[in-house]
Amino acid sequence: MSEVVKKEDKSGAVSVRVEDDLRQLKPSLEKVTVSEGRTTLNTQALNIRKHAEDCLKTVNKQQLVLPPIEDLQKKTISKWTPCLEKISDVKKQRENLPGAPAGEQDKLALNMCLPNKRSIRHQKSGKLLTDTHRKRANEAKGDRIISGSVVNLQGAESKGHHILVVPKEDFWTDSKSTCHEQPVCKTKAESTYLRADKDCTPTETPAFATTSKSMVPRSPQSLPVDIPRYLFTIRSGQVDPMAADFCHFKQCFVLCWSSVVDVLEALQKLLREFAVPLAKVGGERLVELSHVWDSGWSKAPSAMPVLSVLENWEEVSELISHPGQRYKGEGGIEAAAIHIQSSWRRYLARTAYLCHCRRKWAAGTIAISWLMHAQLCRVRKALQARRFSQLENSRSRAQHLAANWKRIQSFKRTIIHIPSLGYSQRKRLNLRGFDILQNIQMSRLCDIRDENVEVIYICPQHLGNDILDYYTSLLKCDGATDGADTRTARASSSVRRYIILTPEAVDYFPTHNMCLSTLLKYSPQTLKHIRNLIQGKHAYIVGGIAHVDDLAVADELGLPILGPEPAIAQHYSTKSGGRRIFVGAEVDVPPGQGDIYSLNQETVLLRYLDEIPEWLTHYAQPAKTSCYPNWACFLKTFLRQGGVVEAYPPSNSVTCLTVDLLLEPGGEVTMFSCGDQLHGGCKLEAIGSIVPQSSVHPETLHSICTRVGRACLQRRIVGYVSVDLVSFLDHNTMEKKVWAVDLDITYSNQLAMTQMLLMMTGGTLNCRTGCLEAPMPISEKCCEHQIVPKAPVGNLCAVIGNHLFHSDLSMLYNKVFLMMCKAHGIRFNKKTKQGTVFAFFDSSKRSSIGMITVSEDLQRALATFARHLSVIHQEISIPKSQGETNFMEVIKEIEDILQMTQNKLQREAKPAS
């Protein structure tokens, strides 16, 4: 038997050498072509493994059979018990097993020395193994098949010696296809490859030794515990084939060397390409990777799996990852050239791609811009056509209103008040509390004092119940001196003759500072409600500062506007436009020039041009710093919008007054209100007035206003306008002069508060005589059969504050504020027609109010107004924090007027005495 084993060993060595020679010959054979028949030599026919098997079959023709198995039941064999005391390093090996508990480690250490039970069951069968049996035997862990030899197996459950005989040619085939598992302790990295293929065992370290002299297996005490590692070194990408460690590794894994060589060549190529000077290879890992290579990868794997077989893979990986290391090794120059060329081609391709993207984006942008431009042109044309249609319809309705004005005024009519501030968008966005500013004229509701008038008031904000209840009670008291039954009937009628509507667009655009006509334009529900209210009635619109959306609202409602066209109103509402009207009306104006849009238009002496700009830069101060903080800001706005330069009256005593006119569509001019202005901190801004005015003779005032009104009618300006005048004493002639300084084509705040004044007193304002006349109560009681005498008429004076502001007013609700005022005696007496009445504008901030004080004479009215303001200020303010207010400025203005009036009375009284 030993001779047979020796022959098989020699045949196997010869076969391995033949296989190595054929492997080296294979690359050269692939390049050979056969010219005959125009065919190529098929290298697949050179099946090395097949020829090796054929060689072995010819050498080993004798088949070995299993010897007869003795009757195991008749023999009594003692069980083999391992002597653990003689194995000194089992504990150490068990402790080194990773990831296993203490109990499992004992089992693992024992299993390394014992064959498993599955192999023993095969040994007990005692039959000749077929291909199926052979496959199952090869799959069992712990089976060891030795070619051409008889192996005596012994396990924990064996009852005797059993011999497994395998044909020599079958053994060689099996050994070439699968190498059995080596029971060694593996690291974590190695176990990954072992799971893929666990059938490689070095030929020199079988679990059971086989000798030619004895068939008895070695005892477990003689098994090696420290499994040797197959390490060899690769220097500069080349393996020394004569090195002892490499020869030992090759001899141990000679049966699966064909798979190992491919991985080894790939490893050497990688190390040569990156010029790695030294690499230490773990043989077991290399073998495991070779099996994964054959079974799992269709092409060569990446560098990391190949480098995982190295013991010093960290140093090698760090070296390989160093920039430029690839170009230091084998083929580095060619690789660098390829990389440079590919980078350059990539750069060219990327540049061309980006250029294409930019052109594509530009083409898309141009196309979209053109489409947007075309669409915008279409929209503009449509808007222009629509606005032109609205303008034509407005002119047609205005002509009808002018032709039927007298008849409309004599019948019942509905007035739709829209107190819109149609400023430019730039100006609207810079105004604080724009909704409150548009609601300051809420006293327009008092137009219902005419029994033939119904009012629809469009409010720019939602009002609370407190304000609605206040105006309801206020409008019931119309100041009439009729009987109780008549007053009750009039009160119930007045409540039914007004309605307050808020457009729903107020909620959609809370921060856009849109004018009220624009909000109403985008409120279809409110427009529908108005159409239902005015159906079958005479109605017209009274707006505020004209805006193009006024025409849109009027066109939606089909109503005329009592006012000029927006373009005309905007043209003549400027300082320069008003100056042109005053010059055309032959009214005195301050010396100066209008329509100035550049510094070169001051047409005076060169010295003036040289000196005035410097003086203005150093000494000019804006009158209201909240609008223009300094001269530079004012000059910038002035040159952008244009303006006028006028002289200030040459006097220390200058009185400003405002006159409100109604330019009727029929061509008549009516004076509705006139009053001397009250100023706050800014002398050019009016926050109130004294009604009636007393600074200009009534006839002179009537003559000036009539000429101005006719000049406006000639320029197609109708509706409500207000004229600002200044009066002063000329020291040269000692005559009083009157200059016209401003023209506002709108419904003024003074006119709105005057309507409330007339509503509360039940009187009339006669601007021709300059008197505020109101019926006085009858003191004597009349019998039933006596004729009721006509109520006497008395003259009254009133002080109006149309925009009083105090930040601390927001701390009090309106009802609480009225109770506080009533506790201090600040109220209006309905019988005497004297006292103080308030106007509220909003329910949320509550920082702005209007106030009217009525008394028998001017001095008493001024004193009462100032005293009430002082009381309110003291009640709502904290001594340490006075808040933001204009109360004190108005009080100071009134005190100055009272001082001047007292001095004038004293001067007039001296000659009489």
Side-chain angles (χ1 to χ4, degrees):
M1 183 65 66
S2 61
E3 294 178 357
V4 176
V5 174
K6 291 181 180 180
K7 288 182 181 180
E8 291 176 353
D9 292 341
K10 292 180 181 180
S11 301
V14 172
S15 177
V16 171
R17 287 195 296 271
V18 172
E19 187 175 0
D20 291 340
D21 295 338
L22 291 178
R23 185 183 297 104
Q24 296 177 3
L25 183 62
K26 183 177 180 180
S28 61
L29 290 177
E30 292 178 351
K31 301 179 182 180
V32 178
T33 58
V34 180
S35 61
E36 296 179 1
R38 296 182 180 179
T39 58
T40 303
L41 181 62
N42 186 8
T43 58
Q44 299 298 330
L46 297 176
N47 193 327
I48 300 172
R49 179 169 297 181
K50 185 174 183 303
H51 288 286
E53 293 176 355
D54 294 340
C55 180
L56 290 177
K57 287 181 180 179
T58 57
V59 176
N60 302 316
K61 293 183 179 180
Q62 184 178 359
Q63 184 175 6
L64 300 180
V65 296
L66 291 173
I69 301 176
E70 298 178 359
D71 190 5
L72 299 178
Q73 297 179 358
K74 297 180 179 180
K75 293 184 179 182
T76 303
I77 303 175
S78 60
K79 294 184 178 180
W80 173 78
T81 303
C83 185
L84 299 179
E85 296 178 357
K86 297 182 180 180
I87 302 177
S88 59
D89 52 351
V90 171
K91 183 177 182 181
K92 295 180 180 180
Q93 184 175 4
R94 181 184 59 198
E95 294 175 353
N96 293 332
L97 293 176
E104 296 294 333
Q105 291 180 359
D106 296 337
K107 296 180 180 180
L108 289 175
L110 184 59
N111 290 335
M112 294 175 62
C113 303
L114 298 178
N116 58 21
K117 298 179 180 180
R118 186 175 181 181
S119 62
I120 297 175
R121 286 195 296 268
H122 283 289
Q123 297 166 12
K124 290 182 180 180
S125 61
K127 297 181 181 180
L128 181 65
L129 297 181
T130 62
D131 293 340
T132 304
H133 296 95
R134 188 185 306 112
K135 182 177 180 181
R136 294 178 180 177
N138 292 340
E139 291 177 352
K141 296 183 180 179
D143 293 353
R144 298 295 180 261
I145 304 175
I146 306 303
S147 174
S149 62
V150 179
V151 182
N152 193 6
L153 302 178
Q154 181 177 356
E157 298 179 359
S158 62
K159 300 297 183 177
H161 301 285
H162 302 278
I163 302 173
L164 178 64
V165 181
V166 182
K168 298 178 180 179
E169 58 272 17
D170 293 344
F171 165 76
W172 181 250
T173 303
D174 293 344
S175 63
K176 291 291 291 180
S177 61
T178 173
C179 297
H180 296 288
E181 180 183 1
Q182 178 183 358
V184 294
C185 183
K186 307 171 189 63
T187 61
K188 184 177 183 181
E190 294 170 343
S191 62
T192 305
Y193 299 104
L194 286 177
R195 285 194 297 268
D197 193 350
K198 300 182 179 180
D199 54 359
C200 182
T201 304
T203 57
E204 292 187 355
T205 58
F208 297 92
T210 303
T211 62
S212 59
K213 296 181 179 180
S214 175
M215 303 301 296
V216 182
R218 293 182 181 180
S219 63
Q221 291 81 354
S222 63
L223 291 176
V225 178
D226 294 330
I227 306 300
R229 303 183 65 185
Y230 303 94
L231 300 177
F232 60 93
T233 304
I234 301 178
R235 299 182 182 273
S236 300
Q238 294 291 340
V239 177
D240 186 5
M242 304 305 295
D245 51 0
F246 180 74
C247 294
H248 178 67
F249 166 71
K250 183 176 180 181
Q251 185 178 3
C252 293
F253 295 95
V254 66
L255 298 181
C256 55
W257 187 252
S258 59
S259 301
V260 176
V261 169
D262 296 335
V263 183
L264 183 59
E265 290 179 354
L267 178 60
Q268 293 181 89
K269 182 180 179 183
L270 178 65
L271 297 177
R272 287 196 303 270
E273 288 178 349
F274 286 90
V276 178
L278 179 64
K280 298 180 181 180
V281 184
E284 299 91 335
R285 299 180 184 177
L286 185 63
V287 173
E288 293 170 0
L289 182 61
S290 67
H291 295 299
V292 179
W293 190 310
D294 288 342
S295 60
W297 283 316
S298 59
K299 58 181 180 179
S302 59
M304 289 308 298
V306 177
L307 293 179
S308 64
V309 304
L310 300 180
E311 294 294 326
N312 59 338
W313 67 270
E314 295 181 353
E315 294 81 357
V316 175
S317 299
E318 183 178 359
L319 180 62
I320 289 177
S321 61
H322 192 272
Q325 185 65 28
R326 170 64 185 90
Y327 312 120
K328 298 179 181 179
E330 185 180 37
I333 298 176
E334 292 79 1
I338 293 173
H339 182 73
I340 293 172
Q341 293 175 2
S342 62
S343 298
W344 175 249
R345 287 194 295 269
R346 174 191 172 277
Y347 170 75
L348 293 179
R350 178 67 176 172
T351 303
Y353 173 73
L354 293 178
C355 182
H356 170 72
C357 290
R358 284 193 297 268
R359 291 176 179 176
K360 184 178 179 181
W361 171 82
T365 302
I366 293 172
I368 293 175
S369 300
W370 172 252
L371 293 176
M372 293 296 293
H373 173 73
Q375 180 68 14
L376 185 61
C377 291
R378 289 193 294 268
V379 172
R380 284 178 176 174
K381 290 181 181 180
L383 287 176
Q384 289 176 357
R386 185 174 182 180
R387 288 176 179 175
F388 182 77
S389 175
Q390 293 172 356
L391 181 59
E392 290 295 326
N393 295 337
S394 178
R395 289 174 178 174
S396 176
R397 289 188 292 265
Q399 292 177 359
H400 181 270
L401 180 66
N404 299 276
W405 177 253
K406 293 295 184 182
R407 188 172 65 89
I408 292 174
Q409 290 298 101
S410 61
F411 287 95
K412 289 187 177 182
R413 59 198 182 275
T414 301
I415 303 177
I416 302 175
H417 281 286
I418 307 176
S420 175
L421 298 181
Y423 297 128
S424 63
Q425 183 179 6
R426 182 186 183 92
K427 188 173 182 179
R428 283 187 280 110
L429 292 177
N430 291 330
L431 290 175
R432 184 178 61 178
F434 188 68
D435 54 343
I436 299 176
L437 293 176
Q438 291 190 113
N439 202 38
I440 286 178
Q441 298 181 5
M442 192 172 179
S443 51
R444 290 192 189 190
L445 291 170
C446 296
D447 278 351
I448 63 172
R449 63 192 180 90
D450 187 348
E451 295 182 355
N452 293 328
V453 173
E454 294 180 355
V455 173
I456 299 177
Y457 181 78
I458 309 301
C459 184
Q461 58 179 333
H462 296 287
L463 299 177
N465 294 329
D466 53 347
I467 293 184
L468 297 177
D469 295 341
Y470 175 76
Y471 279 100
T472 299
S473 61
L474 186 69
L475 295 175
K476 289 180 181 179
C477 312
D478 57 356
T481 58
D482 299 331
D485 296 337
T486 305
R487 289 198 300 270
T488 303
R490 288 169 61 91
S492 60
S493 174
S494 62
V495 172
R496 294 194 302 268
R497 286 189 288 110
Y498 80 92
I499 186 172
I500 300 175
L501 299 177
T502 302
E504 64 267 20
V506 171
D507 300 328
Y508 305 151
F509 309 102
T511 60
H512 289 69
N513 279 13
M514 290 184 175
C515 62
L516 188 55
S517 59
T518 304
L519 293 174
L520 184 58
K521 173 186 175 181
Y522 297 119
S523 302
Q525 296 180 4
T526 306
L527 291 174
K528 182 179 179 181
H529 193 185
I530 295 174
R531 281 195 294 267
N532 294 333
L533 292 174
I534 64 175
Q535 188 173 6
K537 300 179 181 179
H538 295 290
Y540 58 89
I541 296 175
V542 177
I545 298 177
H547 192 268
V548 291
D549 287 337
D550 294 345
L551 301 179
V553 172
D555 197 58
E556 288 287 337
L557 298 175
L559 298 178
I561 301 176
L562 184 58
E565 298 175 5
I568 297 175
Q570 292 173 3
H571 180 69
Y572 289 104
S573 291
T574 61
K575 298 290 290 186
S576 300
R579 188 180 178 88
R580 288 194 296 270
I581 291 179
F582 295 149
V583 173
E586 298 180 353
V587 177
D588 293 338
V589 294
Q593 184 178 356
D595 294 316
I596 296 178
Y597 298 94
S598 65
L599 293 176
N600 296 328
Q601 293 177 277
E602 292 174 349
T603 55
V604 291
L605 300 177
L606 295 178
R607 181 179 178 184
Y608 179 82
L609 290 174
D610 293 338
E611 296 180 359
I612 288 299
E614 186 178 356
W615 292 349
L616 293 176
T617 303
H618 289 84
Y619 301 105
Q621 295 182 357
K624 190 174 182 180
T625 56
S626 61
C627 296
Y628 306 102
N630 50 48
W631 167 253
C633 296
F634 174 78
L635 183 62
K636 181 179 178 181
T637 306
F638 182 89
L639 296 179
R640 183 178 65 249
Q641 299 179 355
V644 299
V645 175
E646 294 178 344
Y648 190 78
S651 175
N652 294 329
S653 177
V654 180
T655 304
C656 302
L657 66 152
T658 301
V659 181
D660 293 296
L661 307 176
L662 173 59
L663 308 180
E664 298 181 2
E668 296 183 3
V669 179
T670 305
M671 297 177 62
F672 263 55
S673 175
C674 58
D676 296 325
Q677 293 181 1
L678 282 177
H679 304 95
C682 177
K683 297 299 181 181
L684 301 179
E685 181 184 16
I687 59 176
S689 59
I690 302 172
V691 179
Q693 65 84 27
S694 58
S695 57
V696 180
H697 194 273
E699 291 296 332
T700 304
L701 183 62
H702 182 265
S703 175
I704 293 174
C705 293
T706 302
R707 284 179 286 170
V708 172
R710 290 174 181 174
C712 291
L713 287 173
Q714 292 176 0
R715 291 163 175 81
R716 296 186 300 169
I717 299 176
V718 295
Y720 294 95
V721 299
S722 62
V723 182
D724 289 345
L725 306 171
V726 294
S727 65
F728 61 96
L729 184 64
D730 189 356
H731 295 288
N732 295 329
T733 61
M734 298 304 295
E735 294 180 357
K736 180 168 285 191
K737 286 190 175 182
V738 179
W739 288 350
V741 295
D742 196 11
L743 177 67
D744 293 326
I745 307 176
T746 183
Y747 196 105
S748 69
N749 297 337
Q750 175 182 282
L751 179 57
M753 295 299 290
T754 301
Q755 297 286 13
M756 177 178 281
L757 170 64
L758 299 179
M759 179 78 179
M760 296 303 298
T761 59
T764 57
L765 179 61
N766 191 344
C767 296
R768 290 291 298 268
T769 60
C771 296
L772 174 61
E773 301 174 347
M776 295 291 106
I778 301 175
S779 58
E780 298 180 357
K781 295 183 179 180
C782 299
C783 300
E784 295 180 358
H785 301 286
Q786 290 182 349
I787 299 175
V788 178
K790 187 177 181 180
V793 177
N795 294 329
L796 299 174
C797 289
V799 180
I800 298 174
N802 50 43
H803 192 190
L804 300 174
F805 177 82
H806 203 300
S807 58
D808 292 339
L809 283 172
S810 59
M811 296 186 298
L812 300 178
Y813 288 101
N814 294 325
K815 290 184 178 180
V816 178
F817 173 78
L818 292 174
M819 293 174 61
M820 180 195 71
C821 293
K822 187 177 181 180
H824 288 276
I826 305 175
R827 59 180 181 176
F828 187 81
N829 193 327
K830 301 176 184 178
K831 293 182 179 180
T832 62
K833 313 297 182 185
Q834 299 180 20
T836 300
V837 64
F838 297 97
F840 299 108
F841 307 137
D842 70 308
S843 301
S844 56
K845 296 182 180 179
R846 304 186 300 276
S847 57
S848 298
I849 60 172
M851 188 173 76
I852 301 175
T853 300
V854 184
S855 187
E856 296 178 352
D857 53 69
L858 178 60
Q859 288 78 12
R860 188 175 298 178
L862 288 171
T864 303
F865 191 90
R867 185 175 65 255
H868 290 175
L869 281 183
S870 178
V871 171
I872 294 172
H873 175 72
Q874 292 176 4
E875 286 292 328
I876 65 176
S877 299
I878 303 174
K880 294 182 180 180
S881 176
Q882 297 296 319
E884 184 180 356
T885 181
N886 58 5
F887 281 17
M888 307 311 296
E889 297 171 352
V890 176
I891 293 174
K892 186 177 183 304
E893 178 79 4
I894 292 176
E895 290 176 352
D896 294 341
I897 295 175
L898 289 175
Q899 185 66 32
M900 292 173 58
T901 305
Q902 186 177 359
N903 294 338
K904 183 179 179 180
L905 293 177
Q906 290 178 357
R907 287 195 302 268
E908 293 176 354
K910 285 183 180 180
S913 60

